[in-house]
Amino acid sequence: MKNLILIAPPGAGKGTQAKMLCKEFNMIHISIGDLLRLEIEKQNDLSNFLKDKMKTGSLVEDTIIFKIIEERLNELDIKEKGFILDGFPRNLNQAIKLDDLSDNEYIVIYLDVSKEVLEKRILGRLTCSNCGNVFNENIESLKPKKTNICDNCNFRLEKRLDDTKETFEDRYNTYIKETQPVLEFYKSKGNLYNVNSLDKDKIFNDIVNILRGNV
Ligand code: ADP
């Protein structure tokens, strides 16, 4: 099976879809945001830099991202299974770098969601500090059963540091300026598919159908 790239504005549900798809197809989820958050937990000089940078809503420098992605793509599991890239490439330079890094073939999925919906989702998003499951206090079907407690493992739910109103505006603007040109890049290669829905199961089914048609 080909590998998958998920491109979407912040809050569109890339992470949720990536987790569901990995389960369905036994693929590996590579979330650059999660890899960066792991770096932050190490509490070294780079951690403080990343924390400040991500709080502003702008992209982390390509040199740092390339090091992280290159290391991850060189790990053994990647050679054995297909993978889903969530959060990379996020600008044109990164898309060109990905072509240089490997001759893997990709299917590129774009999740198209309006700014109003994205903002509501971002402001309600809660993530489990233990298992990473994502909930949403602004969306009825995604509310946790107990306030701020994970349905899955009973650990505490947390808000991401960058899920604030101010940072959302900046992240959305960064997305329009930096990431939208990446869509044009893949459109001209002929491997871009638009998925246009708000329902998480419908989005999942649409992506599954695209992938099955391309196996
Ligand atoms: P979201 O897609 O909801 O913004 P992510 O977890 O994917 O969340 O990314 C969070 C932040 O991490 C971004 O706002 C950015 O600062 C940084 N980041 C993630 N991926 C990249 C990337 N490919 N290049 C540069 N910065 C990135």
Side-chain angles (χ1 to χ4, degrees):
M1 177 183 248
K2 289 180 184 164
N3 300 301
L4 188 71
I5 296 173
L6 284 177
I7 299 183
K14 275 183 288 113
T16 304
Q17 292 301 326
K19 286 195 183 77
M20 291 165 79
L21 291 162
C22 283
K23 221 167 155 189
E24 177 77 18
F25 292 105
N26 194 23
M27 294 169 90
I28 294 165
H29 181 193
I30 304 181
S31 158
I32 310 303
D34 287 351
L35 292 174
L36 290 168
R37 283 183 283 277
L38 279 178
E39 285 296 325
I40 289 180
E41 277 173 22
K42 291 182 187 163
Q43 300 195 345
N44 51 27
D45 287 348
L46 179 63
S47 316
N48 291 332
F49 173 80
L50 289 176
K51 199 169 168 184
D52 290 344
K53 189 88 191 180
M54 286 164 78
K55 257 201 270 175
T56 68
S58 48
L59 294 185
V60 172
E61 281 68 9
D62 284 348
T63 45
I64 298 175
I65 299 293
F66 290 163
K67 187 166 177 287
I68 292 176
I69 193 78
E70 229 172 315
E71 271 173 23
R72 186 64 189 92
L73 290 179
N74 278 330
E75 282 175 35
L76 264 188
D77 54 347
I78 297 298
K79 315 267 181 272
E80 291 154 9
K81 287 187 191 176
F83 57 89
I84 300 180
L85 283 175
D86 158 6
F88 184 90
R90 238 175 160 116
N91 64 27
L92 212 45
N93 200 25
Q94 295 181 5
I96 293 164
K97 176 75 175 181
L98 183 61
D99 275 354
D100 287 351
L101 279 179
S102 68
D103 44 18
N104 280 305
E105 282 193 71
Y106 294 95
I107 291 175
V108 185
I109 306 276
Y110 166 49
L111 304 181
D112 186 5
V113 181
S114 77
K115 188 178 174 194
E116 292 67 35
V117 171
L118 294 170
E119 180 164 13
K120 185 174 162 199
R121 287 187 182 171
I122 289 266
L123 297 184
R125 176 154 69 180
L126 293 165
T127 308
C128 176
S129 49
N130 180 47
C131 72
N133 259 21
V134 180
F135 298 84
N136 202 300
E137 57 194 4
N138 286 344
I139 301 171
E140 211 44 52
S141 61
L142 293 177
K143 275 187 183 168
K145 292 197 182 83
K146 284 187 235 155
T147 308
N148 280 335
I149 302 290
C150 177
D151 290 358
N152 190 34
C153 68
N154 277 326
F155 269 69
R156 200 164 36 87
L157 299 178
E158 287 174 347
K159 269 203 187 299
R160 266 173 45 178
L161 286 174
D162 56 350
D163 279 350
T164 63
K165 194 169 170 48
E166 299 69 34
T167 307
F168 168 71
E169 270 305 317
D170 294 335
R171 281 156 72 199
Y172 188 79
N173 292 337
T174 302
Y175 167 78
I176 297 290
K177 189 165 154 254
E178 304 275 351
T179 311
Q180 275 199 342
V182 177
L183 295 175
E184 291 305 318
F185 177 82
Y186 288 117
K187 198 170 165 189
S188 65
K189 281 179 178 268
N191 53 351
L192 179 72
Y193 297 81
N194 271 28
V195 173
N196 188 326
S197 168
L198 292 183
D199 181 289
K200 107 173 182 299
D201 296 321
K202 166 92 173 63
I203 298 174
F204 175 69
N205 284 331
D206 287 354
I207 301 178
V208 167
N209 287 335
I210 292 167
L211 289 179
R212 294 232 157 96
N214 277 282
V215 181

